[in-house]
Every structure is written in structure tokens, then in C-alpha cells.
Amino acid sequence: MRRLPIYVLLDCSESMIGTGMTGVQAGIGTMIRTLQRNPHALETAWLSFITFDSRAELKTPLQPLDEVQVPKLKVRPGTAFGSALLLLGERMLQEVRRNQPGAKGDFRPIVVLITDGQPSDDWRPALKALHESVPVGNFYAIGAGDDIDFDGLREVTDIVLNLQQTDDQGWAKLFVWISDTLGTASMGTAEGDEKAAMLARLPDSIEKVEDGHWSSGAERGGPPRQLFLYGLCGVKRLPYLMRYGYDPQYGVYHPTAAHKLDRENADFSGRGQSLAPVDSREVDGCPDCPHCGSEGAGSCGNCGAVFCGGARGEDGRSVCPGCGAQLTTRKDGGDGFKIRASEG
Ligand SMILES: [Zn+2]
Ligand SMILES: [Zn+2]
């Protein structure tokens, strides 16, 4: 029996936290259940899941569809896209059966990539290595959100899609479409026709990105559309991630959301390395602490931690939840201070 290998590459960088992660987690479950009800898919489809954040990780080696479990996803800093491509190439070399004299090998693998950010590593050599691995059938690269490097994705494949609706519904529609696409592919229709037919059925919330047509967030060279900063709750001492959106008119970042980081949805082991610090003057305010609801935030002059307003006592003094230093509130003299940013 010729198998149809399907490799799903999932970006689990911290910027995916919130509806991105819950949407992908739920969508993967729907996709697996939908395909398991499809007799053609059950006969031919084999699935593998690879995640990438600060590094690439094999979550599920290539397995028959009826044995695949939904992988548990957690966010971590970084977007090691190149490492993911390298791992994909290695796995395909190991797992995909090539044609032998007298025996047909597997169908060309299908790759589905979902990312919401810009790679944090040098991925072009990895792409070259991937091209020297097993030839891929259709490679679907799906970008979600405002910070996608669509130029880069176009170098990887000619099927680049932009998920414009990134709420729960948008993610759900995306995975219905992916399930349909993989179901159709598992019927073994001619590759070219199948690609055109499936792209014709894209829902409104997903746009195909053509050459020379970039969506709003993809201008090159400008500042990133989003910024992520770590906070520490002064009451519960738990970390959280503050999400900011760039306001080109004033050249500052405004807070848009804050997400709890806990052991359920995040892995702290890779944290530590960060990008160039952000000047506090580029950041306009802060979101409420998602752990205790306190407004405001302060920054520790000793360890550099940013902490929520819940750390402030009645006397106006704060105890840094990061290093325990006693801090008096100092009015910002206008010089600004440096804040460590997350890699997103
Ligand atoms: Zn707090
Ligand atoms: Zn401190």
C-alpha cells in the first residue's frame, strides 16, 4: 500500500499564546478526528507533528492515522524555523519510502506549516538541505497575524496562505479547510488538479498570497508589528507575557493583551536569551496583570524584571518579585530605561 505522508509543522513561539495556541490545539484535534472518519484517509494517510520555538522538536514520528494522538502544545520563546526545516528533511529521509525497482514508494509527502512570526534563525541553508532531501508534493505555508515574513515563505513554497481571521472561529475554519485538503489528497487525485481545486475552495478568512502582493503587516524593514515583554506578578510571582501593537503614527507600542504563562501552556526552560532591549519610551503603558488584575507595572533597577502593580505596598515601596530587592518608586526622568523583550 502506498502511503501518503503528511508532515505538520507548528510554530509554538510565545507570540502564539492566546487564541493562536488554543486555536491550533483545538484545530489539530478536529483535523485528526475528521480524517479518521474518512475511509480514503484511513487507508493511506500517515501523520507526523513537528513543533518549533527556540528549537525544533519531533512531537509525533510518522504514524498511521488511526494511531495518531493529538500532541500537547506549549509555547516557548523563539522561532527556529530553520531547525524545523532541517528536522523535516531528516525525518523525510528516514521515513518516506522511495521507489524501488519493481515497487512503488510512498506518495510525495504533503507539508502543512503554520507560523505567526518571523524566523529567529538563519533558515535559508536549511531550505537548501530540505530541497536535497525527499521531494515534497504540496507544501502549504500558512501565516497568521500581522508579523509574517511572506517574502520568506514565498521562497519556501508557492502555496502561501494568509489567515486573516485569527480568532477561534478563524482557526476553526482554517482546520476544516486543511482537513478537506488532506482528505482530498488521500484519494490520490492528480497532484496539480487537486491543488487548484482546494485553493478554489479557500474560505473568505484565508487569502492566497501572490508574488508582489503583500498584506498590510508584511512591509520589509519597518519595526515589528508586535512586541512582547515579560512581566512578573508581584502578588503571585508568576510570569506573564504582555502583547503590544505598533502605532506607526506615533511610533510607539500600545498594549493589546496580557497572557498568563503557566505550566499548562508554557515551558520556561528555554527562557533567558533575549533580543535587543526595548526603550521604555517606545512603549505606551502596560496591560493589567492577568494573574492579579493590578494596573501599572514597574521595573527593577537591580535585576531588570518588569513586575505588576501588585508588588507595591501601601507605603509606595515595592518588593521585586524577581530578585527580592526593596525598591522605592522613582519617577521616570524622561531618559527611559531598557526593558528586555521576548523573542516572540
Ligand atoms: Zn499581578
Ligand atoms: Zn529585581
Side-chain angles (χ1 to χ4, degrees), residues 47-317:
L47 275 172
S48 169
F49 291 97
I50 290 172
T51 59
F52 58 104
D53 35 71
S54 56
R55 59 174 194 258
E57 185 183 343
L58 178 68
K59 282 283 181 184
T60 313
L62 198 64
Q63 282 181 353
L65 179 57
D66 56 351
E67 288 175 22
V68 171
Q69 307 276 327
V70 183
K72 182 89 189 92
L73 305 176
K74 285 189 177 193
V75 298
R76 262 197 300 249
T79 308
F81 181 48
S83 304
L85 293 180
L86 273 184
L87 183 56
L88 170 66
E90 287 167 20
R91 297 306 301 179
M92 289 198 305
L93 273 178
Q94 281 178 39
E95 294 170 331
V96 178
R97 295 178 197 141
R98 256 69 56 84
N99 290 336
Q100 305 276 343
K104 280 236 169 203
D106 290 331
F107 292 105
R108 285 187 171 204
I110 293 182
V111 179
V112 178
L113 159 75
I114 297 177
T115 180
D116 82 332
Q118 313 236 358
S120 56
D121 61 357
D122 183 15
W123 54 272
R124 283 184 179 86
L127 181 63
K128 202 162 162 280
L130 179 67
H131 286 153
E132 287 156 9
S133 166
V134 174
V136 169
N138 287 337
F139 192 130
Y140 298 93
I142 299 147
D146 292 331
D147 282 334
I148 307 300
D149 177 10
F150 283 111
D151 290 326
L153 291 180
R154 291 282 304 179
E155 291 180 41
V156 176
T157 173
D158 63 334
I159 318 175
V160 176
L161 305 174
N162 177 9
L163 178 68
Q164 292 163 316
Q165 187 187 347
T166 52
D167 57 7
D168 291 341
Q169 267 199 342
W171 284 105
K173 280 190 254 181
L174 171 68
F175 277 96
V176 168
W177 179 81
I178 293 175
S179 308
D180 282 356
T181 301
L182 297 178
T184 305
S186 65
M187 286 163 61
T189 48
E191 237 170 57
D193 300 342
E194 163 208 315
K195 182 168 106 181
M198 292 320 296
L199 289 174
R201 281 155 58 183
L202 275 176
D204 291 347
S205 48
I206 307 170
E207 175 199 34
K208 183 165 190 295
V209 179
E210 307 286 354
D211 266 333
H213 168 64
W214 312 119
S215 41
S216 54
E219 304 99 327
R220 305 190 83 167
R225 285 301 172 115
Q226 291 196 96
L227 173 72
F228 293 87
L229 299 177
Y230 294 121
L232 260 181
C233 176
V235 180
K236 298 188 178 168
R237 300 185 169 228
L238 292 169
Y240 59 99
L241 197 65
M242 295 176 270
R243 189 189 290 263
Y244 287 84
Y246 188 68
D247 179 347
Q249 199 182 344
Y250 295 100
V252 295
Y253 289 91
H254 298 297
T256 54
H259 307 279
K260 288 181 189 177
L261 292 173
D262 53 41
R263 286 181 211 296
E264 272 299 294
N265 66 7
D267 181 343
F268 309 123
S269 58
R271 194 152 296 143
Q273 305 105 333
S274 55
L275 298 176
V278 180
D279 192 301
S280 65
R281 286 167 296 185
E282 294 170 18
V283 175
D284 175 35
C286 55
D288 293 350
C289 173
H291 290 293
C292 73
S294 295
E295 292 174 16
S299 173
C300 175
N302 186 39
C303 71
V306 174
F307 49 82
C308 84
R312 185 166 305 148
E314 283 181 5
D315 56 357
R317 285 169 175 271

